[in-house]
Amino acid sequence: MSETMKALAKTTPGIGLELIDAPVPEAGPEDVLIRVHRTAVCGTDIHIWNWDEWSQKNVPTPMITGHEFAGEIVAIGKEVDRPLKIGQRVSAEGHVIDLNSEAARAGHFHLDPKTRGIGVNRQGAFAEFVVAPAFNVIELPDEVPYEIGSILDPFGNAVHTAQQFDLLGEDVLVTGAGPIGMMAAAVARHAGARTVVLTDINDFRLDLAQKVAPGVRTVNTTKEDIHDVMKELGLKVGFDVALEMSGSPVAFKQCVDTLIMGGGMAMLGIPGKPMETDWGAIILKALTIKGVYGREMFTTWRKMLGLLKAGLDLSPLITHRLGYADYREGFEAMRSGQSGKVVLDWDKAA
């Protein structure tokens, strides 16, 4: 094995990433070293690329970024007691936790307040090799290709959000047709929702959503009134459940306005800044609002692999497949809003 590897890193504060030669990391006693085959570009990676206020506060430099990946194990730490094998195909949970925290000791691993993120504040996966705790490793079934394995992290966000309320036979509103919103709409359909409506203002992504989540009613809210669509679909009162994936104050208000009395809203989208809210409307409608963070470790992973086994097809979501050396093209596609998921191939440069 070479002593150096190619990697994408935030080498200094500022916009963009740089393709560098970096030392191949070593697996600690409780870690595994993974040869990365595919990575996917996440919205978080775009924040880091743009070097926005959040990134400046949370991402130290230099930092190899990237946390959505799939590859194979090439080395295992001497104290790892899980039955993992060299050559095993894997992905990994990107949230690295303190197993001694009160949340972890209570079995709520995903709620550890000191969680650190691979590719955010710990060296990441936009590289030929990455180290991850053996505890975080997820074995990939043979039928899950590397490119699908690389988008399981955001798929988990979608599944975790959709899990917050019973969707069987319900009318569901999904606001925000980014990749996670599209996957949430597909999950809702797969979970037996009676009606699924997906709203956005981006026609490219709404058109793509028809391939990712067949049967979903897409709505560009700049061109159609959501209340007219509700009448068209026979919704006499409102939606039972809303999944807010955009972080838009307008979309949040749309959810509040169109939910039934006693309806539920799960919020994954993070507003860019504090927003005003009509709490009176929320209280008088007796709405239940749940904030959603990451994935449940590891219940969500089991469920998402089960959904793939049951036939949910995520492949239409991947619109760009590029060699890692063409990363700039991939990031520009994501920043333009004219893409689904962008997957980088680390087996070849271009």
Side-chain angles (χ1 to χ4, degrees):
M1 184 186 301
S2 171
E3 293 182 356
T4 63
M5 64 178 184
K6 295 295 184 182
L8 294 177
K10 178 73 72 173
T11 55
T12 58
I15 295 174
L17 295 175
E18 184 180 348
L19 183 61
I20 65 170
D21 291 305
V24 173
E26 293 186 11
E30 298 181 347
D31 299 330
V32 298
L33 178 65
I34 298 168
R35 169 71 171 93
V36 176
H37 287 280
R38 300 291 187 277
T39 58
V41 180
C42 172
T44 300
D45 300 317
I46 300 301
H47 286 290
I48 296 172
W49 176 284
N50 293 338
W51 201 236
D52 60 13
E53 184 178 349
W54 174 87
S55 300
Q56 294 173 35
K57 291 179 178 179
N58 291 281
V59 182
T61 58
M63 175 63 63
I64 296 171
T65 59
H67 59 277
E68 300 179 3
F69 72 95
E72 63 177 308
I73 296 174
V74 294
I76 300 175
K78 61 183 180 180
E79 294 180 16
V80 173
D81 58 5
R82 289 187 62 193
L84 301 173
K85 299 177 292 184
I86 301 295
Q88 192 165 19
R89 302 169 65 256
V90 297
S91 183
E93 167 60 53
H95 289 167
V96 179
I97 65 170
D98 176 6
L99 290 173
N100 292 311
S101 71
E102 290 190 16
R105 286 171 58 80
H108 306 308
F109 301 123
H110 66 296
L111 300 180
D112 174 23
K114 294 185 178 180
T115 295
R116 299 172 67 235
I118 292 175
V120 177
N121 35 42
R122 148 181 191 128
Q123 299 300 325
F126 282 158
E128 293 180 280
F129 297 91
V130 66
V131 166
F135 178 80
N136 288 55
V137 168
I138 306 295
E139 302 97 320
L140 291 180
D142 291 340
E143 66 270 16
V144 177
Y146 282 129
E147 67 173 28
I148 298 300
S150 74
I151 63 172
L152 290 181
D153 177 295
F155 183 43
N157 293 147
V159 172
H160 190 194
T161 307
Q163 280 182 265
Q164 300 305 307
F165 298 98
D166 181 11
L167 303 183
L168 181 63
E170 303 285 53
D171 297 311
V172 179
L173 172 65
V174 183
T175 50
I180 298 176
M182 293 186 223
M183 288 189 281
V187 170
R189 287 285 295 172
H190 215 76
R194 186 179 82 98
T195 304
V196 180
V197 173
L198 175 62
T199 66
D200 205 289
I201 58 174
N202 182 321
D203 280 332
F204 176 90
R205 286 188 163 169
L206 289 170
D207 290 342
L208 180 60
Q210 295 287 355
K211 302 174 184 177
V212 177
V216 166
R217 175 62 158 91
T218 55
V219 180
N220 184 323
T221 53
T222 67
K223 300 176 181 179
E224 289 188 280
D225 188 310
I226 188 68
H227 295 92
D228 292 338
V229 174
M230 292 166 65
K231 291 178 183 177
E232 168 199 315
L233 298 173
L235 276 66
K236 296 181 180 180
V237 181
F239 294 97
D240 304 289
V241 175
L243 309 178
E244 207 304 284
M245 318 299 278
S246 71
S248 163
V250 174
F252 178 83
K253 184 176 186 302
Q254 181 186 90
C255 293
V256 173
D257 290 346
T258 59
L259 279 167
I260 63 168
M261 288 282 295
M265 184 196 317
M267 295 184 66
L268 182 79
I270 301 175
K273 58 184 179 180
M275 64 181 184
E276 291 188 2
T277 301
D278 184 355
W279 287 104
I282 293 168
I283 293 166
L284 293 174
K285 292 186 80 171
L287 300 181
T288 298
I289 300 178
K290 295 184 179 182
V292 182
Y293 172 65
R295 297 146 299 279
E296 285 194 43
M297 300 163 66
F298 291 91
T299 303
T300 306
W301 286 88
R302 181 178 63 82
K303 288 185 179 293
M304 68 173 101
L305 291 173
L307 286 165
L308 295 179
K309 181 74 171 180
L312 197 156
D313 182 13
L314 297 179
S315 58
L317 183 63
I318 302 173
T319 57
H320 294 70
R321 297 169 173 85
L322 302 166
Y324 67 82
D326 292 327
Y327 70 96
R328 293 183 186 277
E329 179 183 342
F331 273 81
E332 286 307 315
M334 283 285 288
R335 294 175 76 202
S336 74
Q338 302 297 296
S339 75
K341 290 298 290 184
V342 172
V343 172
L344 301 179
D345 183 343
W346 288 86
D347 296 330
K348 59 181 182 180

